[in-house]
């Protein structure tokens, strides 16, 4: 299914979750407005609906407390009774700061709103309108940050504490276990309560009852202190400094500096906050030995040495020093989280996979979350760790496409968990896909696009060459193709830079020029013909990439497959023409083995000119047994490359695709599944257009 269909689906989810004033995280479980969710949602809207983006933040800040705190939930009066805890339990009216016209919770969440507000401005094409809104919002953002620096900054070093796991947004993260374990459930009074979440979502995917008891114990404590920050600080057993919360705050301070500049305000205050918080994160939360940032237990005055995705978050907002960034990247890109190109994992799971209590499906204890990966993607991009950034970006787009717009995803199988049709998954998907749709390539690697409205015959502008015998041209073409692949391709990756400078490529350009006057009749058997056209196709792609100075993706050149051509025997051929040739021959294997200069292609190899059958089959096998084809019997699902849809004349039904795949699959269990299962669920994978370099 083309990507814009998923984009429409994501927009429909936001529409469904929009109640006229704000967008709920999900109508299935969270029927109110959530603090940081709304910021992510606004970022998604900012790509196509400025009004909604603005309204999202506006409605949230309307419920800001008098002391500056932005509540973690703003309740919808029309939807009470379906979530726990609700206003009757929070009783925030006990605080003199709570708003009288809104029902809210009494805690906050990671302050990503400054960052989101700047994104709205950057993405919107209604700059004046957004500027007006920023003038309204800016003092409220300053008020929120001032609340943190005045009320939650006990050592005055810019490290802000949180006083409830819900404030971290990563509720049952293993990071909080050592602190929560100190609340002895047999010794404290906990009010009676009834959870609602575990009746809607499989309890295996949600926090345990013991966790909830502690969450509720803390809320009750806040209530007893009438939400007085000082009193809470002195009696609350959970006072922790979260690297993610503080990194997000730093990122928002940085955004506030830019917003101040846009609306003509002084940016000194946010700058000072930015510098203080960033410095303290670098100096106090980092472990040089473990190469990750840790949370800090303020009561026991020590780092909480539990490795979670929050420990990488100082990349977001540019808080980590360069050497820290390089070190944490190494950890992030290890088997503990997920290595690039490693099978059986997706992007950054929320907890170190090698830990005994790691879970692929339990909430914040191991699954993959889209908002976390989206922030890490922004961070990696900022530090120019492009490859890893793209890996995350691809996953953020792929997971919802393959498995649905879920709240979180199994870190091994990708299965969606929690509630479906989840707003921030949809919103952040929209954000990234907008970059793809408008440029065709990743925002991490976006470059200038070459426009080609008319045909460009690429082998016309080579050196003028002496006319040769057709047999000689054919021999030279094969020789040079073989040499180039042999010398400049390793494990299927092409070293375009070296190839461009090589003597072999110079000679190849000459031969390509000679093809204009070539006589195709020297290729006198069907097998020779197959080899010739596949090799030619693959070499045309290589030549086009080099000549058009493609940097990241063939998508940088408009109509790469239609308008760039080679003249052969007096006739012009595009890559598409060659594909059509194989379609007309019903040669599925040849089509699958073509190398389109992309990551989703099989590795580039030379097809033996007289009898290519074996080489073609190896290419097909490589393709079918790579991550381009995923057969998951546990899920009764088959996920295949978009390529099978491109050639729907040959792959006319899912049965045909299944038959094709199963004849090349190595894994017997999967083979058997395909042979037995008559109607597995078919999903199409996002095609990876990055260069195979
Ligand atoms: C409690 C809404 C929120 C997110 C949090 C996520 C979850 C609530 C819950 O849902 O928390 O605030 O009931 O579990 O942990 O990050 O903001 O999507």
């Amino acid at each position: 299914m083309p990507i814009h269909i998923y984009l429409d689906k994501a927009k429909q989810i936001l529409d469904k979750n929009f109640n006229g004033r704000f967008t709920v995280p999900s109508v299935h479980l969270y029927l109110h407005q959530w603090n940081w969710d709304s910021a992510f949602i606004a970022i998604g809207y900012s790509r196509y609906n400025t009004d909604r983006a603005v309204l999202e933040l506006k409605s949230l800040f309307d419920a800001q407390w008098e002391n500056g705190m932005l509540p973690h939930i703003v309740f919808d009066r029309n939807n009470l009774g379906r979530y726990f805890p609700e206003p009757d339990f929070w009783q925030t009216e006990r605080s003199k700061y709570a708003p009288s016209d809104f029902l809210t919770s009494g805690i906050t969440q990671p302050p990503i709103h400054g960052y989101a507000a700047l994104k709205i401005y950057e993405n919107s094409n209604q700059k004046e309108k957004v500027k007006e809104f920023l003038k309204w919002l800016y003092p409220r953002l300053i008020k929120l940050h001032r609340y943190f620096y005045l009320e939650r900054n006990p050592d005055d070093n810019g490290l802000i504490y949180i006083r409830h796991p819900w404030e971290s947004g990563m509720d049952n993260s293993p990071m909080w276990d050592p602190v929560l374990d100190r609340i002895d459930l047999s010794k404290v009074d906990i009010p009676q309560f009834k959870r609602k979440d575990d009746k809607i979502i499989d309890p295996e995917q949600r926090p345990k009852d013991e966790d909830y008891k502690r969450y509720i114990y803390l809320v009750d404590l806040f209530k007893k202190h009438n939400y007085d920050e000082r009193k809470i600080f002195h009696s609350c057993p959970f006072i922790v400094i979260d690297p993610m919360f503080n990194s997000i705050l730093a990122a928002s301070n940085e955004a506030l500096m830019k917003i101040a500049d846009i609306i003509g305000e002084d940016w000194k205050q946010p700058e000072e906050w930015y510098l203080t918080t960033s410095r303290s994160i670098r100096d106090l939360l980092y472990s040089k030995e473990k190469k990750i940032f840790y949370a800090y237990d303020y009561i026991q005055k020590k780092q909480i040495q539990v490795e979670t995705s929050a420990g990488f978050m100082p990349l977001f907002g540019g808080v980590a020093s360069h050497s820290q960034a390089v070190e944490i990247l190494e950890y992030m890109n290890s088997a503990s989280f997920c290595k690039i190109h490693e099978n059986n994992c997706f992007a950054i799971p929320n907890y170190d996979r090698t830990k005994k209590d790691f879970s692929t499906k339990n909430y914040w204890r191991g699954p993959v979350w889209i908002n976390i990966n989206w922030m890490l993607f922004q961070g990696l991009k900022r530090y120019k760790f492009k490859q890893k950034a793209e890996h995350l970006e691809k996953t953020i787009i792929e997971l919802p496409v393959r498995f649905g717009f879920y709240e979180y995803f199994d870190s091994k199988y990708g299965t969606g968990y929690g509630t479906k049709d989840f707003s921030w998954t949809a919103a952040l998907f929209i954000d990234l896909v907008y970059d793809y749709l408008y440029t065709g390539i990743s925002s991490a690697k976006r470059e200038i696009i070459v426009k080609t409205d008319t045909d460009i015959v690429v082998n016309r502008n080579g050196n003028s060459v002496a006319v040769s015998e057709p047999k000689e041209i054919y021999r030279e073409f094969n020789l040079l193709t073989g040499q180039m692949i042999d010398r400049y391709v390793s494990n299927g990756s092409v070293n375009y830079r070296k190839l461009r400078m090589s003597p072999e490529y110079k000679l190849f350009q000459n031969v390509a020029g000679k093809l204009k006057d070539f006589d195709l009749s020297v290729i006198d058997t069907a097998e020779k013909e197959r080899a010739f056209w596949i090799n030619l196709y693959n070499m045309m792609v290589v030549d086009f990439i080099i000549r058009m100075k493609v940097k990241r993706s063939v998508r940088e050149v408009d109509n790469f497959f239609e308008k760039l051509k080679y003249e052969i025997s007096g006739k012009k051929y595009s890559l598409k023409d060659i594909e059509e040739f194989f379609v007309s021959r019903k040669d599925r294997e040849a089509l699958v083995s073509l190398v389109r200069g992309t990551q989703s292609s099989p590795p580039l190899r030379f097809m033996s000119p007289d009898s290519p059958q074996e080489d073609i089959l190896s290419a097909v096998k490589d393709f079918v047994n790579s991550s381009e084809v995923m057969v998951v019997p546990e899920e009764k699902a088959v996920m295949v490359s978009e390529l099978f849809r491109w050639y729907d004349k040959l792959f006319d039904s899912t049965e045909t695709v299944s038959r094709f795949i199963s004849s090349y699959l190595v894994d017997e269990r999967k083979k058997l599944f395909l042979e037995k299962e008559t109607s597995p669920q078919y999903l199409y994978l996002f095609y990876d257009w990055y260069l195979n370099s």
Side-chain angles (χ1 to χ4, degrees):
M1 207 186 285
I3 196 78
H4 65 84
I5 306 235
Y6 293 99
L7 188 65
D8 290 346
K9 197 167 168 18
K11 290 181 182 174
Q12 279 160 20
I13 289 174
L14 293 185
D15 282 347
K16 175 169 116 183
N17 295 351
F18 179 65
N19 68 7
R21 216 162 54 81
F22 56 74
T23 312
V24 302
S26 153
V27 289
H28 305 290
L29 178 60
Y30 309 109
L31 284 148
H32 309 284
Q33 181 170 34
W34 255 263
N35 171 313
W36 74 331
D37 296 62
S38 276
F40 293 123
I41 292 164
I43 291 172
Y45 280 141
S46 73
R47 293 292 190 165
Y48 66 102
N49 189 337
T50 302
D51 288 345
R52 283 262 192 102
V54 165
L55 185 59
E56 197 63 37
L57 289 189
K58 172 124 190 358
S59 56
L60 181 67
F61 275 83
D62 276 342
Q64 185 171 24
W65 283 30
E66 200 43 51
N67 61 353
M69 191 187 78
L70 193 63
H72 107 292
I73 305 176
V74 182
F75 292 99
D76 177 357
R77 287 173 202 274
N78 301 321
N79 265 315
L80 294 173
R82 293 159 69 186
Y83 180 78
F84 176 82
E86 284 192 338
D88 55 339
F89 192 84
W90 286 96
Q91 298 177 9
T92 50
E93 64 282 3
R94 289 166 179 242
S95 165
K96 58 180 182 217
Y97 299 121
S100 51
D101 37 0
F102 291 96
L103 298 173
T104 77
S105 70
I107 58 171
T108 190
Q109 262 191 330
I112 187 148
H113 317 87
Y115 184 92
L118 181 64
K119 279 263 174 244
I120 299 178
Y121 180 79
E122 287 171 353
N123 292 339
S124 170
N125 47 17
Q126 295 173 275
K127 298 271 187 263
E128 278 313 307
K129 191 178 210 171
V130 181
K131 204 165 151 180
E132 282 313 303
F133 169 63
L134 291 180
K135 285 185 189 157
W136 179 88
L137 186 66
Y138 185 77
R140 289 165 171 82
L141 286 165
I142 290 284
K143 191 168 165 184
L144 169 65
H145 289 206
R146 183 162 288 130
Y147 157 78
F148 289 130
Y149 287 93
L150 287 180
E151 304 285 348
R152 304 277 196 111
N153 182 16
D155 292 347
D156 207 20
N157 58 2
L159 289 182
I160 306 307
Y161 71 78
I162 54 171
R163 50 174 164 81
H164 195 293
W166 285 338
E167 289 200 322
S168 72
M170 290 194 186
D171 312 353
N172 71 341
S173 163
M175 252 187 313
W176 312 135
D177 293 355
V179 185
L180 290 174
D181 282 350
R182 295 205 302 266
I183 304 177
D184 184 346
L185 292 177
S186 65
K187 297 209 173 109
V188 292
D189 280 343
I190 299 166
Q192 287 289 319
F193 69 93
K194 265 214 175 80
R195 292 175 67 170
K196 297 216 162 113
D197 59 305
D198 58 351
K199 317 289 173 299
I200 299 166
I201 306 293
D202 178 354
E204 263 200 66
Q205 300 165 23
R206 294 285 301 178
K208 296 195 301 265
D209 277 345
E210 290 80 72
D211 297 320
Y212 254 79
K213 283 184 183 150
R214 292 179 167 103
Y215 301 159
I216 293 312
Y217 167 75
L218 291 173
V219 172
D220 194 48
L221 182 112
F222 304 156
K223 203 156 76 175
K224 284 180 178 144
H225 287 308
N226 296 332
Y227 296 94
D228 180 307
E229 290 295 352
R230 295 292 134 89
K231 288 186 188 153
I232 293 173
F233 176 65
H234 291 297
S235 59
C236 180
F238 186 92
I239 300 283
V240 299
I241 290 161
D242 171 10
M244 179 171 86
F245 191 105
N246 281 276
S247 300
I248 288 178
L249 177 62
S252 276
N253 278 323
E254 190 189 34
L256 284 193
M257 289 154 59
K258 295 185 185 154
I259 294 175
D261 203 36
I262 295 166
I263 61 172
E265 287 280 345
D266 188 9
W267 41 265
K268 285 271 162 11
Q269 180 61 86
E271 185 191 39
E272 194 194 309
W273 286 334
Y274 176 72
L275 294 173
T276 324
T277 299
S278 309
R279 191 181 317 117
S280 296
I281 294 176
R282 276 195 294 278
D283 295 351
L284 301 172
L285 303 186
Y286 190 59
S287 162
K288 180 128 190 70
E289 189 202 334
K290 295 283 172 55
K291 299 191 166 87
I292 195 163
F293 288 83
Y294 285 125
Y296 186 85
D297 180 342
Y298 190 82
I299 294 172
Q300 297 224 325
K301 298 270 184 277
K302 62 173 193 206
Q303 286 184 346
I304 305 170
Q305 301 223 332
V306 176
E307 296 77 16
T308 71
S309 64
F312 303 125
M313 217 42 97
L315 294 179
F316 184 63
V319 172
S321 70
H322 185 70
S323 59
Q324 288 172 338
V326 170
E327 286 174 3
I328 64 176
L329 174 69
E330 195 188 311
Y331 191 16
M332 188 194 266
N333 196 31
S334 71
S336 281
F337 285 86
C338 180
K339 280 194 220 170
I340 297 179
H341 302 316
E342 184 184 344
N343 282 330
N344 297 328
C345 59
F346 294 92
I348 307 295
N350 223 52
Y351 181 35
D352 186 332
R353 294 156 70 214
T354 63
K355 303 288 166 185
K356 273 211 302 289
D357 55 346
F358 169 83
S359 156
T360 60
K361 64 161 70 139
N362 185 277
Y363 217 31
W364 294 96
R365 304 183 75 88
V368 174
W369 286 78
I370 295 300
N371 64 333
I372 301 302
N373 279 278
W374 184 88
M375 286 188 283
L376 290 175
F377 162 68
Q378 305 297 338
L380 289 163
K381 216 163 56 156
R382 177 174 185 143
Y383 283 83
K384 308 230 175 327
F385 299 138
K386 288 192 173 160
Q387 226 195 346
K388 190 74 184 169
E390 280 157 13
H391 174 68
L392 266 52
E393 187 183 31
K394 188 177 170 225
T395 307
I396 297 172
I397 295 177
E398 245 177 39
L399 279 175
V401 165
R402 290 192 203 175
F403 301 98
F405 289 85
Y406 277 87
E407 190 178 0
Y408 42 101
F409 298 87
D410 189 290
S411 36
K412 190 164 177 199
Y413 298 114
T415 320
Y417 294 135
T419 153
K420 61 180 183 177
D421 297 343
F422 192 67
S423 291
W424 81 40
T425 303
L428 299 175
F429 173 87
I430 291 172
D431 180 59
L432 295 188
V433 168
Y434 258 75
D435 277 328
Y436 263 92
L437 279 189
Y438 287 112
T439 65
I441 52 169
S442 143
S443 71
K445 288 192 157 180
R446 181 149 16 117
E447 302 289 342
I448 300 142
I449 297 175
V450 180
K451 288 262 173 223
T452 50
D453 298 332
T454 51
D455 287 354
I456 301 178
V457 179
V458 174
N459 65 337
R460 197 177 269 164
N461 54 2
N463 299 339
S464 67
V465 282
V467 179
S468 310
E469 276 291 303
K471 277 202 174 123
E472 186 51 23
I473 299 175
Y474 180 57
R475 197 189 66 81
E476 269 182 55
F477 169 80
N478 284 323
L479 182 75
L480 288 165
T481 302
Q483 283 179 351
M484 280 161 61
I485 293 178
D486 193 37
R487 293 176 194 168
Y488 302 98
V489 179
S490 123
N491 293 331
S493 277
V494 186
N495 191 332
Y496 288 104
R497 204 174 312 144
K498 275 207 175 138
L499 186 56
R500 184 168 64 92
M501 310 302 290
S502 71
E504 293 88 351
Y505 177 58
K506 281 258 136 29
L507 292 170
F508 178 82
Q509 283 179 306
N510 279 342
V511 180
K514 290 180 195 174
L515 287 176
K516 280 179 282 182
D517 310 308
F518 183 50
D519 180 359
L520 280 168
S521 64
V522 279
I523 304 169
D524 49 10
T525 68
E527 280 304 276
K528 277 187 186 170
E529 211 170 30
R530 273 179 108 196
F532 175 74
W533 288 106
I534 297 177
N535 283 330
L536 181 72
Y537 182 101
N538 293 348
M539 294 325 284
M540 279 166 72
V541 170
V542 169
D543 194 21
F544 295 169
I545 286 172
I546 295 177
R547 297 222 210 188
M548 303 310 284
K549 300 194 172 56
V550 165
K551 290 207 176 82
R552 313 291 185 199
S553 163
V554 294
R555 287 275 180 113
E556 285 161 29
V557 182
D558 242 10
N559 301 319
F560 185 91
F561 292 88
E562 290 91 12
K563 297 286 184 197
L564 301 183
K565 295 188 170 171
Y566 260 24
E567 190 179 323
I568 299 163
S569 302
K571 198 172 161 234
K572 290 193 256 168
Y573 290 88
S574 69
L575 296 166
K576 193 111 207 134
D577 294 331
I578 301 178
E579 290 170 26
E580 284 305 323
F581 165 78
F582 286 120
V583 172
S584 69
R585 296 256 169 131
K586 300 199 171 33
D587 192 342
R588 296 190 180 100
E589 277 73 11
L591 283 164
V592 170
S593 72
L594 295 176
V595 181
R596 296 168 177 79
T598 62
Q599 291 284 344
S600 281
S601 307
L604 180 56
R605 52 160 59 72
F606 178 54
M607 303 296 174
S608 160
D610 294 331
S611 51
Q613 178 66 357
E614 215 176 292
D615 297 317
I616 297 174
L617 293 189
S618 309
V620 175
K621 268 194 191 142
D622 279 346
F623 185 79
V624 167
N625 292 287
S626 77
S627 55
E628 297 303 314
V629 174
M630 294 177 65
V631 180
V632 191
E634 299 78 5
E635 299 289 324
K636 286 201 173 20
V638 182
M639 293 169 273
V640 292
S641 171
E642 193 89 57
L643 178 132
F644 291 103
R645 275 191 193 261
W646 298 344
Y647 305 116
D648 54 2
K649 273 198 205 134
L650 299 192
F651 296 103
D652 53 355
S653 65
T654 52
E655 288 82 49
T656 316
V657 181
S658 283
R659 236 176 294 123
F660 181 84
I661 296 171
S662 94
S663 53
Y664 295 107
L665 264 183
V666 174
D667 188 319
E668 286 299 332
R669 196 174 61 97
K670 294 180 179 171
K671 235 176 150 72
L672 203 69
F673 162 77
L674 279 183
E675 281 155 17
K676 288 214 164 128
E677 182 63 50
T678 44
S679 50
Q681 191 196 2
Y682 251 83
L683 294 162
Y684 289 86
L685 298 173
F686 191 72
Y687 193 83
D688 188 346
W689 285 101
Y690 303 129
L691 214 54
N692 58 344
S693 61

